[in-house]
Amino acid sequence: IRQPELAEVETLTALAARTFYDAFAATNTPENMDVYMSVAFTVEQFAAEMRDPLSTFLLAELAGAPVGYAKLVRSAPPLCVPAP
C-alpha cells in the first residue's frame, strides 16, 4: 500500500471506476450510473482530488498490479453523518 503519484492518475481513475461500478451497478439504473460516473470518475476530477491538500489517496498493489484504493478526506463530515 502506497500513495500514488499524480502521474498515475489514469490508473487510479480506471481502478476507481471499475470498483465503483462493480459495487453499485446492481442497485442502480444504468442511466444513473452513467450520469454519476461520467462526472465523478474522470481523469480531470481525480487529478483535482489528488491535488487537494485535504485528500490522501492510497493505492494497494499485488505483484505490481493495482487491486484497490482508498481516498481519505480531512474535512468536516457531511450533515447526513450524525456522529464522528
Side-chain angles (χ1 to χ4, degrees), residues 5-19:
E5 300 291 327
L6 187 56
E8 298 173 284
V9 67
E10 289 183 16
T11 298
L12 185 61
T13 304
L15 175 64
R18 186 176 73 241
T19 57

Side-chain angles (χ1 to χ4, degrees), residues 20-56:
F20 182 87
Y21 185 87
D22 290 349
F24 296 104
T27 58
N28 286 280
T29 66
E31 296 80 18
N32 284 348
M33 290 294 289
D34 288 344
V35 168
Y36 181 73
M37 292 186 72
S38 70
V39 173
F41 294 96
T42 66
V43 169
E44 295 79 16
Q45 179 63 35
F46 263 70
E49 292 176 14
M50 290 177 77
R51 287 187 194 102
D52 183 346
L54 297 178
S55 294
T56 299

